[in-house]
Amino acid sequence: MNAPNPDTLKLAKDFSRPVITFAIARADGSETAYLGCSDFKVYAADFAAARFEPKELYAHESYVTGVALAGTTLVSGGYDGKLTWYDTAEKKVICTQDAHAKWIRKVIASPDGTTVASVADDMVCKLWDAKTGQLTRELKGHKEKTPNEFTSMLYAVAYSADGKLLATGDKVGHVVVWDAQTGKQLGTCEAPVMYTWDKVQRLHSIGGVRSLAFSPDGKSLAAGGMGKVGNIDHLEGKARVEVFDWKTGKQTAEFPGDKFSGLVNRLAWAPDGSWLVGAGGAGEGFLCFFDAANKKTLRQEKVAMHVHDFAITAAADQITCVGHNRITVHRLG
Amino acid sequence: MARKTFCGSLAHAMDRRAFLGGAAAAGATLAADMTALNALAAPDVNKSLKKAQKRVILLWLAGGASQLETWDPKPGAPTGGPFRSIQTDVPGLRISELMPKMATRMKTTCVIRGLNTKNGDHGSAAETIMRGRRDEAALRYPDLGAVVAREMGLPDSKVPDYVTFYTQTEGRGMAPGNAGFLGARYAPMELTTNNYPEHIKRLDGITDRDHIERGQLRDLLGKQFAQGRSSETMNSQTEAYQRVRGIMASEKLFDVSQEPQKVRDRYGPTQFAEQVLIARRLVEAGVPFVRVGRAWWDSHGQNFETHQEMVPELDHVMATLIDDLFERGMLDDVMVLTLSEFGRTPAINASLGRDHFASAWSSTITGCGIKRGSVYGKTDPKGNTVTAEEVDAGSLFATIYSALGLDPNKNYYVGSRPIPLVNPGVEPIKALVG
């Protein structure tokens, strides 16, 4: 199946929201999406409704930064360190787990919907039974401290399309690839340019690997973040994507960014691998399309908000972006 | 214009004499060489100094730390950010969850939550918060460190009167230590490249005897030159040279390796931790004022991650310092301040940052004569405004001076013009000075 051409990208819907939306989960073909927000709440949003009015489902005790759909089960995670399982058919909370000691940064479901993975600033990736909420495995391969004795952060996690691989990425640009079944480390990649430690001017850090995505064939791993930052008071580093042959750890392509500043918070590949899309931002946001094989930037499109997450359909013909006080739907093809 | 920095008042004279009398025995032992600092550390000397002399450690949170992620959290408010608040050891007082160590030590501390300093510009706001007021066109005021150095420093001190650590470059130029009209005698020893003063050691090329003899020669020539002359500049220069041997003797105070490893471990390995430990060593040896500038809190982007990185360090180091001072019996005599040029906006911008905000922010005062376990000032549920017990820079300074035992209405003189420590009419917060 050929992926739609990024040149056909068009804004289809644009909604304003009174809160920041950090995470979205939307099943393929469904008009309903689930949103994790800065008012600590999880919402269900109907994109086919005449009036866009997301409905509150339940709440966490801090920002909700991860939502994942495993069949009819929704799992959400937040900066309160908790994971909540919610039955979208029965419309009720199944259970809540004290999952992590620090902020949960991202929650994803395995492609077969049996497992949910969460990453948090306790620097552990945890795997959970999607149905029962039972912890099945802990993956520890990231250091708790940066080289400068400050706390590190574990931002990103991604499954391969076949569900056999899992990748995690942290603040200092260290990426680990795991065997999702056994928990064994299979490889590492390094993206140190995405980590800025400013010793001379400000004595603190910024950046990190904020997003990861395996190519459809599982051979390449893309990492998104931000390039070196001069004034780290702001997210002024160029949006940056690097692509690795994860088995060797060798970088095969880099997109240092030339148009937009800020973090690449979400990455996804087209189903045929012909392009890679990244979204993120700082004061304003973007959608950028890259040809990893030919090392070309295909399209860079401004989005009217700092994008924190998106949901993309299996055919890559629709991208629903969520972020700072807005939600947009773009169509391709 | 000739400047007169000694007010000549009876109160001043009494204060100085009282101290000098109390410290006379100590002073006799303070030879101007490397043994002097050991004498300062001796129990009897410390006791004598404690009676007469308060000292200050200022933790300068350069760039503007967020009150919402430290001392005045608003969990659950749209402006509150992601962090929770936690209960402290003071009933009803909650602070950010990023400060669990200080939460168990708030009984030692006073939080001022109602600062409205009206100035959100880094440079001029920093000057205001360092000096308690804005300069006049023709008059540059001394900063807090210079005033404390002037009031608490000893004429024959073997240690510096005012030391400031500000190693990061960002914001340093906006908040320089400045003695204003008090003159260079009260300007700080500034450490900007590392924790150890440059040029404090005797040159390897000359012996200690050479150094002493050169000083004696310079003294002789100076006295001959001074005959029949009177000049403040000349006096200041002479005074500075007279302090050289003593200041050189303070070299070891800056050497953190002189501390037992377990004490260093307790403070932690970061630069800020080491500088605060050195600050403790300095005040213990009698340095009246030490500022440790920790940059850079200006979090226009990723405010929460910036504070997640920096507040735990502040929490640990501040709590350790308070414990250390308490265990050494120094908390009644050493004031620990946290100050920034301003706080940060309740509004969260598109970069998940907070911007400059001087309308409703917070600071803390620990130790000396300040009421412990107290909270002064309230802000509205979103943190946008002060709703009770508002404090400006002037009354904050008047309160600090009062807690240190200084009369805020005391006058300096610039020519014949009396200049009080704070602007006329500004009062200390009586509820906080016990």
Side-chain angles (χ1 to χ4, degrees), chain A residues 20 22 38 40 61-63 79-82 102-103 105 121 146 148-153 155 171 195 197-207 210 231-235 263 282-284 306 308 324-325, chain B residues 74-84 97-98 122 166-172 269-272 294-302 304-306 308-310 312-313 348-355:
Chain A
I20 306 163
F22 292 109
S38 63
F40 303 4
E61 294 171 21
S62 188
Y63 285 2
Y79 285 172
D80 57 1
K82 297 181 191 299
K102 292 186 178 177
W103 284 2
R105 296 287 186 163
D121 288 349
T146 68
N148 312 98
E149 295 292 338
F150 288 89
T151 53
S152 191
M153 298 163 190
Y155 295 114
K171 184 166 192 173
Y195 173 63
W197 166 255
D198 183 340
K199 181 181 179 182
V200 174
Q201 285 188 281
R202 298 172 179 87
L203 203 67
H204 75 87
S205 63
I206 201 165
R210 302 291 180 132
N231 179 355
I232 67 174
D233 308 350
H234 303 262
L235 302 177
L263 298 158
E284 58 182 22
H306 179 172
H308 290 294
H324 195 85
N325 299 141
Chain B
K74 304 287 181 185
T79 55
F83 297 108
R84 290 175 282 201
E97 66 172 315
L98 293 172
H122 281 297
Y166 202 147
T167 314
Q168 279 59 65
T169 57
E170 190 67 56
R172 191 194 299 160
T270 66
Q271 182 186 73
F272 179 57
R294 173 45 165 122
W296 176 244
W297 297 76
D298 196 23
S299 48
H300 294 281
Q302 298 282 327
F304 308 114
E305 294 193 6
T306 296
Q308 194 182 37
E309 181 172 78
M310 295 172 74
E313 183 196 30
I348 299 164
N349 68 28
S351 295
L352 292 178
R354 297 191 193 270
D355 303 311

Side-chain angles (χ1 to χ4, degrees), chain A residues 208-229:
Chain A
V209 171
R210 302 291 180 132
S211 50
L212 291 162
F214 284 99
S215 59
D217 63 7
K219 292 179 180 175
S220 293
L221 177 63
M226 179 170 66
K228 286 292 178 199
V229 186

Side-chain angles (χ1 to χ4, degrees), chain B residues 39-56:
Chain B
L40 276 169
D44 288 348
V45 178
N46 258 347
K47 193 175 175 185
S48 173
L49 287 171
K50 278 178 200 167
K51 283 183 182 172
Q53 189 183 31
K54 305 292 185 189
R55 282 146 280 176
V56 178

Side-chain angles (χ1 to χ4, degrees), chain A residues 30-51:
Chain A
S30 171
E31 291 294 345
T32 300
Y34 298 92
L35 313 173
C37 297
S38 63
D39 60 358
F40 303 4
K41 294 172 182 173
V42 177
Y43 291 88
D46 181 358
F47 283 85
R51 192 169 174 186

Side-chain angles (χ1 to χ4, degrees), chain B residues 300-360:
Chain B
H300 294 281
Q302 298 282 327
N303 172 75
F304 308 114
E305 294 193 6
T306 296
H307 283 75
Q308 194 182 37
E309 181 172 78
M310 295 172 74
V311 180
E313 183 196 30
L314 171 66
D315 181 51
H316 172 76
V317 173
M318 185 177 173
T320 304
L321 174 64
I322 289 170
D323 288 354
D324 198 3
L325 292 172
F326 176 77
E327 289 162 15
R328 289 166 189 270
M330 297 169 67
L331 202 53
D332 286 336
D333 303 295
V334 178
M335 175 182 284
V336 178
L337 295 169
T338 64
L339 283 173
S340 299
E341 57 264 51
F342 40 62
R344 308 216 70 83
T345 51
I348 299 164
N349 68 28
S351 295
L352 292 178
R354 297 191 193 270
D355 303 311
H356 302 178
F357 186 67
S359 302

Side-chain angles (χ1 to χ4, degrees), chain B residues 405-423:
Chain B
L406 303 175
D407 176 6
N409 297 314
K410 172 185 172 176
N411 284 324
Y412 293 131
Y413 283 84
V414 177
S416 58
R417 179 182 167 185
I419 309 287
L421 293 188
V422 298
N423 283 341

Side-chain angles (χ1 to χ4, degrees), chain B residues 108-112 335-337 363-367 370 396 399-400:
Chain B
T108 64
T109 295
C110 163
V111 179
I112 296 175
M335 175 182 284
V336 178
L337 295 169
S363 68
T364 65
I365 311 175
T366 307
I370 208 77
L396 175 67
T399 304
I400 291 168

